[in-house]
mmCIF file of all heavy atoms in Angstrom:
data_model
loop_
_atom_site.group_PDB
_atom_site.id
_atom_site.type_symbol
_atom_site.label_atom_id
_atom_site.label_comp_id
_atom_site.label_asym_id
_atom_site.label_seq_id
_atom_site.Cartn_x
_atom_site.Cartn_y
_atom_site.Cartn_z
ATOM 1 N N GLY A 97 34.416 -3.058 29.873
ATOM 2 C CA GLY A 97 34.313 -2.668 31.270
ATOM 3 C C GLY A 97 33.937 -1.223 31.529
ATOM 4 O O GLY A 97 33.831 -0.825 32.680
ATOM 5 N N ILE A 98 33.707 -0.426 30.486
ATOM 6 C CA ILE A 98 33.405 0.995 30.698
ATOM 7 C C ILE A 98 32.159 1.198 31.560
ATOM 8 O O ILE A 98 32.192 1.983 32.505
ATOM 9 C CB ILE A 98 33.311 1.743 29.351
ATOM 10 C CG1 ILE A 98 34.695 1.773 28.709
ATOM 11 C CG2 ILE A 98 32.769 3.151 29.547
ATOM 12 C CD1 ILE A 98 34.737 2.339 27.326
ATOM 13 N N PRO A 99 31.050 0.510 31.312
ATOM 14 C CA PRO A 99 29.887 0.713 32.197
ATOM 15 C C PRO A 99 30.159 0.278 33.641
ATOM 16 O O PRO A 99 29.658 0.898 34.579
ATOM 17 C CB PRO A 99 28.794 -0.155 31.587
ATOM 18 C CG PRO A 99 29.241 -0.480 30.212
ATOM 19 C CD PRO A 99 30.729 -0.368 30.210
ATOM 20 N N PHE A 100 30.960 -0.754 33.813
ATOM 21 C CA PHE A 100 31.261 -1.236 35.161
ATOM 22 C C PHE A 100 32.114 -0.248 35.947
ATOM 23 O O PHE A 100 32.040 -0.198 37.174
ATOM 24 C CB PHE A 100 31.937 -2.605 35.109
ATOM 25 C CG PHE A 100 31.048 -3.686 34.595
ATOM 26 C CD1 PHE A 100 31.294 -4.270 33.371
ATOM 27 C CD2 PHE A 100 29.953 -4.110 35.333
ATOM 28 C CE1 PHE A 100 30.469 -5.257 32.896
ATOM 29 C CE2 PHE A 100 29.119 -5.099 34.866
ATOM 30 C CZ PHE A 100 29.376 -5.679 33.639
ATOM 31 N N LEU A 101 32.941 0.532 35.241
ATOM 32 C CA LEU A 101 33.723 1.564 35.920
ATOM 33 C C LEU A 101 32.803 2.507 36.689
ATOM 34 O O LEU A 101 33.045 2.822 37.853
ATOM 35 C CB LEU A 101 34.539 2.372 34.910
ATOM 36 C CG LEU A 101 35.808 1.741 34.366
ATOM 37 C CD1 LEU A 101 36.376 2.590 33.254
ATOM 38 C CD2 LEU A 101 36.826 1.587 35.468
ATOM 39 N N PHE A 102 31.740 2.933 36.028
ATOM 40 C CA PHE A 102 30.810 3.865 36.663
ATOM 41 C C PHE A 102 29.995 3.181 37.755
ATOM 42 O O PHE A 102 29.704 3.785 38.782
ATOM 43 C CB PHE A 102 29.894 4.489 35.613
ATOM 44 C CG PHE A 102 30.641 5.372 34.652
ATOM 45 C CD1 PHE A 102 30.850 4.964 33.351
ATOM 46 C CD2 PHE A 102 31.164 6.586 35.059
ATOM 47 C CE1 PHE A 102 31.548 5.762 32.458
ATOM 48 C CE2 PHE A 102 31.867 7.387 34.181
ATOM 49 C CZ PHE A 102 32.064 6.976 32.871
ATOM 50 N N VAL A 103 29.657 1.922 37.569
ATOM 51 C CA VAL A 103 28.884 1.186 38.577
ATOM 52 C C VAL A 103 29.692 1.041 39.860
ATOM 53 O O VAL A 103 29.197 1.325 40.958
ATOM 54 C CB VAL A 103 28.451 -0.195 38.038
ATOM 55 C CG1 VAL A 103 27.900 -1.073 39.149
ATOM 56 C CG2 VAL A 103 27.438 -0.044 36.921
ATOM 57 N N PHE A 104 30.942 0.620 39.752
ATOM 58 C CA PHE A 104 31.750 0.405 40.949
ATOM 59 C C PHE A 104 32.220 1.720 41.565
ATOM 60 O O PHE A 104 32.374 1.830 42.776
ATOM 61 C CB PHE A 104 32.915 -0.532 40.663
ATOM 62 C CG PHE A 104 32.460 -1.919 40.333
ATOM 63 C CD1 PHE A 104 32.836 -2.533 39.164
ATOM 64 C CD2 PHE A 104 31.615 -2.601 41.189
ATOM 65 C CE1 PHE A 104 32.399 -3.809 38.859
ATOM 66 C CE2 PHE A 104 31.166 -3.875 40.896
ATOM 67 C CZ PHE A 104 31.556 -4.477 39.724
ATOM 68 N N TRP A 105 32.422 2.757 40.740
ATOM 69 C CA TRP A 105 32.723 4.070 41.292
ATOM 70 C C TRP A 105 31.526 4.571 42.100
ATOM 71 O O TRP A 105 31.683 5.114 43.192
ATOM 72 C CB TRP A 105 33.066 5.045 40.171
ATOM 73 C CG TRP A 105 33.346 6.422 40.679
ATOM 74 C CD1 TRP A 105 34.493 6.867 41.255
ATOM 75 C CD2 TRP A 105 32.438 7.524 40.695
ATOM 76 N NE1 TRP A 105 34.360 8.183 41.608
ATOM 77 C CE2 TRP A 105 33.107 8.616 41.281
ATOM 78 C CE3 TRP A 105 31.132 7.693 40.263
ATOM 79 C CZ2 TRP A 105 32.510 9.854 41.441
ATOM 80 C CZ3 TRP A 105 30.539 8.930 40.427
ATOM 81 C CH2 TRP A 105 31.219 9.987 41.015
ATOM 82 N N GLY A 106 30.327 4.386 41.553
ATOM 83 C CA GLY A 106 29.117 4.764 42.280
ATOM 84 C C GLY A 106 28.951 3.969 43.565
ATOM 85 O O GLY A 106 28.512 4.502 44.594
ATOM 86 N N ALA A 107 29.306 2.674 43.528
ATOM 87 C CA ALA A 107 29.217 1.839 44.734
ATOM 88 C C ALA A 107 30.187 2.334 45.807
ATOM 89 O O ALA A 107 29.841 2.349 46.997
ATOM 90 C CB ALA A 107 29.505 0.384 44.384
ATOM 91 N N LEU A 108 31.373 2.750 45.417
ATOM 92 C CA LEU A 108 32.326 3.296 46.384
ATOM 93 C C LEU A 108 31.798 4.590 47.000
ATOM 94 O O LEU A 108 31.928 4.816 48.204
ATOM 95 C CB LEU A 108 33.684 3.543 45.720
ATOM 96 C CG LEU A 108 34.539 2.312 45.478
ATOM 97 C CD1 LEU A 108 35.693 2.644 44.538
ATOM 98 C CD2 LEU A 108 35.057 1.763 46.783
ATOM 99 N N PHE A 109 31.191 5.430 46.179
ATOM 100 C CA PHE A 109 30.610 6.672 46.699
ATOM 101 C C PHE A 109 29.463 6.379 47.663
ATOM 102 O O PHE A 109 29.367 6.974 48.739
ATOM 103 C CB PHE A 109 30.133 7.563 45.549
ATOM 104 C CG PHE A 109 29.495 8.825 46.029
ATOM 105 C CD1 PHE A 109 30.269 9.851 46.538
ATOM 106 C CD2 PHE A 109 28.118 8.982 45.993
ATOM 107 C CE1 PHE A 109 29.683 11.023 47.003
ATOM 108 C CE2 PHE A 109 27.521 10.141 46.450
ATOM 109 C CZ PHE A 109 28.306 11.165 46.951
ATOM 110 N N LEU A 110 28.580 5.455 47.292
ATOM 111 C CA LEU A 110 27.466 5.094 48.177
ATOM 112 C C LEU A 110 27.967 4.480 49.485
ATOM 113 O O LEU A 110 27.365 4.694 50.544
ATOM 114 C CB LEU A 110 26.509 4.131 47.467
ATOM 115 C CG LEU A 110 25.660 4.763 46.372
ATOM 116 C CD1 LEU A 110 24.816 3.697 45.680
ATOM 117 C CD2 LEU A 110 24.788 5.866 46.917
ATOM 118 N N LEU A 111 29.053 3.731 49.421
ATOM 119 C CA LEU A 111 29.640 3.167 50.637
ATOM 120 C C LEU A 111 30.120 4.280 51.568
ATOM 121 O O LEU A 111 29.909 4.222 52.780
ATOM 122 C CB LEU A 111 30.794 2.230 50.271
ATOM 123 C CG LEU A 111 31.475 1.503 51.406
ATOM 124 C CD1 LEU A 111 30.507 0.523 52.060
ATOM 125 C CD2 LEU A 111 32.696 0.760 50.891
ATOM 126 N N MET A 112 30.723 5.312 51.013
ATOM 127 C CA MET A 112 31.189 6.426 51.832
ATOM 128 C C MET A 112 30.000 7.190 52.423
ATOM 129 O O MET A 112 30.037 7.601 53.596
ATOM 130 C CB MET A 112 32.071 7.363 51.012
ATOM 131 C CG MET A 112 32.699 8.468 51.829
ATOM 132 S SD MET A 112 33.806 9.482 50.867
ATOM 133 C CE MET A 112 35.339 8.617 51.142
ATOM 134 N N VAL A 113 28.934 7.362 51.646
ATOM 135 C CA VAL A 113 27.741 8.036 52.159
ATOM 136 C C VAL A 113 27.118 7.203 53.275
ATOM 137 O O VAL A 113 26.723 7.740 54.321
ATOM 138 C CB VAL A 113 26.738 8.296 51.015
ATOM 139 C CG1 VAL A 113 25.393 8.746 51.550
ATOM 140 C CG2 VAL A 113 27.298 9.327 50.044
ATOM 141 N N TRP A 114 27.032 5.882 53.085
ATOM 142 C CA TRP A 114 26.482 4.992 54.117
ATOM 143 C C TRP A 114 27.304 5.092 55.402
ATOM 144 O O TRP A 114 26.757 5.157 56.498
ATOM 145 C CB TRP A 114 26.455 3.554 53.609
ATOM 146 C CG TRP A 114 26.123 2.547 54.660
ATOM 147 C CD1 TRP A 114 24.885 2.224 55.136
ATOM 148 C CD2 TRP A 114 27.044 1.727 55.377
ATOM 149 N NE1 TRP A 114 24.989 1.263 56.098
ATOM 150 C CE2 TRP A 114 26.297 0.938 56.270
ATOM 151 C CE3 TRP A 114 28.429 1.591 55.350
ATOM 152 C CZ2 TRP A 114 26.893 0.024 57.127
ATOM 153 C CZ3 TRP A 114 29.020 0.690 56.196
ATOM 154 C CH2 TRP A 114 28.257 -0.090 57.071
ATOM 155 N N PHE A 115 28.623 5.102 55.290
ATOM 156 C CA PHE A 115 29.518 5.217 56.439
ATOM 157 C C PHE A 115 29.236 6.513 57.198
ATOM 158 O O PHE A 115 29.152 6.525 58.426
ATOM 159 C CB PHE A 115 30.967 5.178 55.953
ATOM 160 C CG PHE A 115 31.995 5.283 57.039
ATOM 161 C CD1 PHE A 115 32.378 4.163 57.751
ATOM 162 C CD2 PHE A 115 32.601 6.486 57.330
ATOM 163 C CE1 PHE A 115 33.338 4.249 58.747
ATOM 164 C CE2 PHE A 115 33.561 6.584 58.312
ATOM 165 C CZ PHE A 115 33.929 5.459 59.022
ATOM 166 N N THR A 116 29.060 7.609 56.468
ATOM 167 C CA THR A 116 28.810 8.895 57.096
ATOM 168 C C THR A 116 27.450 8.928 57.781
ATOM 169 O O THR A 116 27.325 9.405 58.919
ATOM 170 C CB THR A 116 28.916 10.026 56.051
ATOM 171 O OG1 THR A 116 30.202 9.945 55.436
ATOM 172 C CG2 THR A 116 28.731 11.385 56.684
ATOM 173 N N ILE A 117 26.422 8.408 57.123
ATOM 174 C CA ILE A 117 25.083 8.401 57.715
ATOM 175 C C ILE A 117 25.052 7.521 58.958
ATOM 176 O O ILE A 117 24.475 7.887 59.988
ATOM 177 C CB ILE A 117 24.039 7.955 56.676
ATOM 178 C CG1 ILE A 117 23.876 9.042 55.618
ATOM 179 C CG2 ILE A 117 22.700 7.635 57.330
ATOM 180 C CD1 ILE A 117 23.026 8.639 54.437
ATOM 181 N N LYS A 118 25.693 6.363 58.898
ATOM 182 C CA LYS A 118 25.744 5.484 60.068
ATOM 183 C C LYS A 118 26.490 6.169 61.213
ATOM 184 O O LYS A 118 26.121 6.017 62.381
ATOM 185 C CB LYS A 118 26.414 4.168 59.691
ATOM 186 C CG LYS A 118 26.377 3.141 60.768
ATOM 187 C CD LYS A 118 26.176 1.774 60.179
ATOM 188 C CE LYS A 118 26.296 0.703 61.213
ATOM 189 N NZ LYS A 118 25.106 0.500 61.982
ATOM 190 N N SER A 119 27.507 6.952 60.897
ATOM 191 C CA SER A 119 28.238 7.700 61.925
ATOM 192 C C SER A 119 27.359 8.783 62.545
ATOM 193 O O SER A 119 27.427 9.029 63.750
ATOM 194 C CB SER A 119 29.493 8.326 61.329
ATOM 195 O OG SER A 119 30.356 7.329 60.843
ATOM 196 N N ILE A 120 26.548 9.441 61.732
ATOM 197 C CA ILE A 120 25.640 10.461 62.267
ATOM 198 C C ILE A 120 24.644 9.831 63.227
ATOM 199 O O ILE A 120 24.395 10.347 64.321
ATOM 200 C CB ILE A 120 24.929 11.208 61.118
ATOM 201 C CG1 ILE A 120 25.935 12.082 60.366
ATOM 202 C CG2 ILE A 120 23.764 12.052 61.640
ATOM 203 C CD1 ILE A 120 25.400 12.663 59.076
ATOM 204 N N PHE A 121 24.067 8.686 62.846
ATOM 205 C CA PHE A 121 23.137 8.002 63.743
ATOM 206 C C PHE A 121 23.829 7.530 65.018
ATOM 207 O O PHE A 121 23.245 7.557 66.098
ATOM 208 C CB PHE A 121 22.462 6.819 63.041
ATOM 209 C CG PHE A 121 21.433 7.233 62.032
ATOM 210 C CD1 PHE A 121 21.281 6.517 60.867
ATOM 211 C CD2 PHE A 121 20.617 8.328 62.241
ATOM 212 C CE1 PHE A 121 20.327 6.883 59.938
ATOM 213 C CE2 PHE A 121 19.665 8.705 61.313
ATOM 214 C CZ PHE A 121 19.514 7.982 60.149
ATOM 215 N N GLY A 122 25.075 7.104 64.918
ATOM 216 C CA GLY A 122 25.833 6.710 66.104
ATOM 217 C C GLY A 122 26.054 7.883 67.039
ATOM 218 O O GLY A 122 25.940 7.745 68.261
ATOM 219 N N LEU A 123 26.381 9.048 66.480
ATOM 220 C CA LEU A 123 26.574 10.243 67.298
ATOM 221 C C LEU A 123 25.273 10.644 67.988
ATOM 222 O O LEU A 123 25.266 10.965 69.176
ATOM 223 C CB LEU A 123 27.092 11.398 66.445
ATOM 224 C CG LEU A 123 27.322 12.720 67.165
ATOM 225 C CD1 LEU A 123 28.382 12.565 68.237
ATOM 226 C CD2 LEU A 123 27.706 13.799 66.179
#
Side-chain angles (χ1 to χ4, degrees):
I98 293 174
F100 294 111
L101 282 172
F102 294 108
V103 168
F104 294 124
W105 178 79
L108 283 167
F109 178 74
L110 288 176
L111 183 66
M112 186 176 269
V113 169
W114 171 80
F115 180 83
T116 304
I117 290 172
K118 187 143 173 82
S119 299
I120 290 170
F121 287 144
L123 179 62

